[in-house]
Amino acid sequence: MTDVLVKKLRENRDLSDGELRELIESSAHDEALRQAADKVRRERYGDAVYLRGLIEFTSYCKQNCLYCGLRAGNRNAQRYRLSREEILSCCDEGYALGYRTFVLQGGEDPYYTDDMICDIVRSIKEKYPDCAVTLSIGEKPRQSYERYFAAGADRYLLRHETADPEHYAKLHTDKMSSENRKHCLRDLKEIGYQVGAGFMVGSPYQTTENLIADLRFLQELQPDMIGIGPYISHKDTPFRDEKNGTAELTLRMLSILRLMFPYALLPSTTALGTIRPDGRELGLKAGGNVVMPNLSPVQVRDKYAIYDNKICTGEESAQCRGCLEKRIESAGYRAVTDRGDVKRASR
Ligand code: 5AD
Ligand code: SF4
Ligand code: FES
């Protein structure tokens, strides 16, 4: 039996708001969605799953996002910073494990000046010219983004979190705005980065309309990467009593994204693996084609606590690498170790 809505989404890469609402709110289309998403993903990317070595280099953050355990106001958070040398030794370890993309992620930490970030990026690119460097360090002035790019950064991840300004305001303090977030994303694209946006699924106060707005914003931005994961509460945040997002809705959204953005790099995220033990495998089967194993030094891993019960905090990098490879294979895919750039060309 063909699912008319899913077929239409696959063919047109678009639906009306009403049709999207039906897909998002009903579980009746899940199996058809998943199958179509996997088909489209295999047409473009085969069975390849790209690995990104994630280095969480600072747990300090000046922002106060209400959902996040690293928020400045969380006095129980354990804070750490990695030096340039420590970051480089994570890259050494990652390179030996086959990673050809390093993602430097951190809170918004003014300790790292633009000079320092550029120096770190340059050092990695000098040592590993065949690798891509991805930055994920939040909102910065355009000139800073330009400097990192000139220093060799290839990609930038900045989730838009939610495209609806009113919903955005409910999740952040008034220091932050949806408008500035989108502005940053447009700057990053104009500068020439491969850009990643994305949102949390099931964040507090989120409605179906908000999710549709996220899809519409992504259609406009056309990012190379789209990172989504379920919201998971953290005990030391104002949202400690809020409900977690579900794997079910996250998987559904992943499949919808794959059908709307066949070319996109879609990570099957750690958050998805945290709310459900086989979450990342299911994420790959639902259209995901990227995983981001942790490369941070084991001593600091549990300190990068953006939400509770985060997985992979006790394991060495090599253990995560082996574990993930098995999971990728058990889901029916293959871990590849090239840079894994976006495949936009063919339609
Ligand atoms: N649950 C799930 N994801 C979260 N993030 C931050 N806090 C949480 C949470 N409590 C996500 C945000 C951010 C990314 C680095 O992690 O989307 O952009
Ligand atoms: Fe800081 Fe990012 Fe957490 Fe917001 S989500 S508090 S910017 S680390
Ligand atoms: Fe990290 Fe399994 S992927 S331990």
Side-chain angles (χ1 to χ4, degrees):
M1 265 245 304
T2 46
D3 184 308
V4 179
L5 266 189
V6 171
K7 183 161 179 273
K8 188 167 170 194
L9 176 59
R10 185 174 153 204
E11 281 168 4
N12 301 349
R13 297 176 189 183
D14 200 8
L15 289 175
S16 70
D17 285 5
E19 290 166 328
L20 282 173
R21 163 182 277 279
E22 162 66 19
L23 278 189
I24 294 170
E25 291 186 343
S26 158
S27 62
H29 309 279
D30 285 351
E31 187 51 29
L33 262 180
R34 195 190 58 70
Q35 281 180 21
D38 189 55
K39 187 142 197 282
V40 165
R41 160 270 176 39
R42 285 179 191 271
E43 278 165 17
R44 184 81 49 134
Y45 286 100
D47 58 359
V49 173
Y50 299 103
L51 303 173
R52 317 296 197 202
L54 180 65
I55 305 169
E56 297 158 334
F57 71 98
T58 171
S59 69
Y60 284 84
C61 188
K62 67 174 188 187
Q63 298 294 7
N64 250 316
C65 306
L66 271 66
Y67 44 83
C68 176
L70 299 185
R71 64 201 304 276
N74 178 9
R75 299 181 55 185
N76 295 329
Q78 300 185 60
R79 309 288 179 176
Y80 70 90
R81 293 184 174 113
L82 300 185
S83 66
R84 189 182 79 131
E85 287 63 38
E86 288 171 312
I87 294 171
L88 279 166
S89 75
C90 291
C91 296
D92 295 340
E93 202 176 343
Y95 195 87
L97 292 169
Y99 301 141
R100 295 296 177 265
T101 292
F102 301 116
V103 182
L104 301 185
Q105 186 163 79
E108 293 195 14
D109 181 0
Y111 167 88
Y112 294 89
T113 60
D114 287 351
D115 283 340
M116 287 164 78
I117 297 290
C118 290
D119 179 42
I120 293 166
V121 170
R122 236 179 268 117
S123 310
I124 300 175
K125 294 292 285 195
E126 261 166 35
K127 197 159 182 194
Y128 298 112
D130 54 334
C131 292
V133 171
T134 305
L135 291 175
S136 179
I137 54 175
E139 297 179 22
K140 305 274 178 181
R142 184 178 174 123
Q143 303 88 281
S144 302
Y145 290 149
E146 283 168 349
R147 291 193 55 198
Y148 312 151
F149 190 72
D154 304 274
R155 308 182 183 137
Y156 204 103
L157 305 179
L158 184 74
R159 289 189 179 178
H160 65 279
E161 310 298 359
T162 174
D164 179 88
E166 280 167 34
H167 183 220
Y168 192 95
K170 291 182 186 160
L171 304 181
H172 300 90
T173 61
D174 49 18
K175 250 178 79 191
M176 293 177 87
S177 71
S178 171
E179 198 193 355
N180 191 54
R181 199 93 182 157
K182 292 175 181 169
H183 187 79
C184 287
L185 282 163
R186 293 190 181 108
D187 279 348
L188 289 162
K189 259 208 114 161
E190 278 173 26
I191 293 167
Y193 285 95
Q194 294 179 38
V195 168
F199 55 91
M200 286 178 288
V201 176
S203 59
Y205 312 110
Q206 186 178 63
T207 62
T208 302
E209 272 63 44
N210 295 152
L211 288 170
I212 295 170
D214 289 324
L215 298 174
R216 297 298 178 216
F217 170 68
L218 292 168
Q219 284 180 319
E220 193 189 311
L221 184 71
Q222 295 282 314
D224 303 283
M225 293 143 314
I226 304 172
I228 70 165
Y231 161 75
I232 303 173
S233 71
H234 186 289
K235 60 182 187 326
D236 298 315
T237 65
F239 287 164
R240 63 181 64 86
D241 296 324
E242 298 290 337
K243 280 207 312 279
N244 289 346
T246 64
E248 190 190 17
L249 185 55
T250 305
L251 294 168
R252 196 177 293 154
M253 294 307 299
L254 262 178
S255 296
I256 293 173
L257 288 169
R258 173 56 67 205
L259 296 176
M260 290 178 88
F261 307 94
Y263 65 81
L265 292 158
L266 297 179
S268 188
T269 53
T270 305
L272 187 53
T274 297
I275 47 162
R276 204 182 143 144
D278 57 352
R280 283 171 302 175
E281 291 88 315
L282 293 173
L284 296 176
K285 292 184 182 180
N289 60 345
V290 172
V291 287
M292 299 172 65
N294 202 319
L295 254 188
S296 313
V298 176
Q299 324 76 274
V300 303
R301 282 209 192 175
D302 58 336
K303 301 185 178 72
Y304 201 84
I306 51 186
Y307 47 77
D308 288 333
N309 305 315
K310 189 167 164 234
I311 53 169
C312 297
T313 54
E315 281 74 13
E316 293 286 348
S317 300
Q319 286 177 296
C320 270
R321 173 68 173 86
C323 171
L324 263 179
E325 175 120 35
K326 282 197 217 105
R327 288 171 186 272
I328 292 167
E329 277 169 15
S330 79
Y333 306 94
R334 178 179 50 97
V336 299
T337 58
D338 65 42
R339 274 172 50 123
D341 288 302
V342 72
K343 296 191 183 178
R344 273 186 192 272
S346 64
R347 249 200 79 105

